[in-house]
């Protein structure tokens, strides 16, 4: 017998959680940039891709009630390029999966656009 009692978060909640993670990713890259001598040269494109991903997901109509700057989004501690690469690969997959779960076409577009920018970020970290 299959156990269907395990519940997944509702798509709207998953959108909000993913948005918070994108804000945290952007802040983490900002913290890495702040700790680097040539911050813009070293992290400028990555920081822009993270911000673009966050902004893209923010356009999802289902996030209308989500605060623009969610709480609990401090930069991730002890972050390395390798851990960011793994994190962005996972976020990209989550965004694509989420785009398949939401019903609003504008939410789908926001997820896929954010996934595109996270994919750019992931490639630039390799």
């Amino acid at each position: 017998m299959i156990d269907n009692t395990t519940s997944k978060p509702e798509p709207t909640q998953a959108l909000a959680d993913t948005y918070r993670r994108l804000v945290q990713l952007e802040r983490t890259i900002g913290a890495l940039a702040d700790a680097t001598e040539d911050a813009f040269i070293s992290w400028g494109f990555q920081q822009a891709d993270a911000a673009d991903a966050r902004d893209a997901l923010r356009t999802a109509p289902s996030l209308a009630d989500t605060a623009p700057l969610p709480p609990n989004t401090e930069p991730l501690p002890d972050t390395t390029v390798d851990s960011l690469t793994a994190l962005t690969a996972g976020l990209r997959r989550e965004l694509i999966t989420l785009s398949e779960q939401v019903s609003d076409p504008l939410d789908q577009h926001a997820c896929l656009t954010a996934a595109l920018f996270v994919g750019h970020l992931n490639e630039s970290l390799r």
Side-chain angles (χ1 to χ4, degrees), residues 23-122:
V23 170
Q24 187 175 40
L25 173 66
E26 181 186 6
R27 290 181 179 175
T28 300
I29 292 171
L32 288 170
D34 290 345
T36 305
E37 187 174 317
D38 294 325
F40 182 76
I41 294 169
S42 301
W43 292 101
F45 289 115
Q46 291 88 350
Q47 213 169 356
D49 283 334
D52 288 342
R54 181 216 49 213
D55 290 345
L57 192 60
R58 185 73 185 115
T59 66
S62 294
L63 286 178
D65 295 333
T66 303
L69 293 174
N72 303 323
T73 53
E74 291 299 315
L76 298 167
D78 303 321
T79 303
T80 64
V81 172
D82 288 339
S83 65
L84 279 178
T85 302
L87 175 67
T88 56
L91 268 171
R92 183 174 174 268
R93 283 190 301 274
E94 287 176 34
L95 284 160
I96 291 169
T97 301
L98 190 53
S99 75
E100 297 168 350
Q101 296 171 350
V102 295
S103 57
D104 186 326
L106 294 175
D107 286 346
Q108 292 171 345
H109 182 265
C111 288
L112 292 174
T113 304
L116 176 71
F117 287 115
V118 171
H120 288 173
L121 173 57
N122 181 267

Side-chain angles (χ1 to χ4, degrees), residues 15-23 54 57-58 63 67-68 70:
L15 278 169
D17 292 343
T18 303
Y19 178 74
R20 283 184 196 90
R21 292 182 64 211
L22 287 173
V23 170
R54 181 216 49 213
L57 192 60
R58 185 73 185 115
L63 286 178

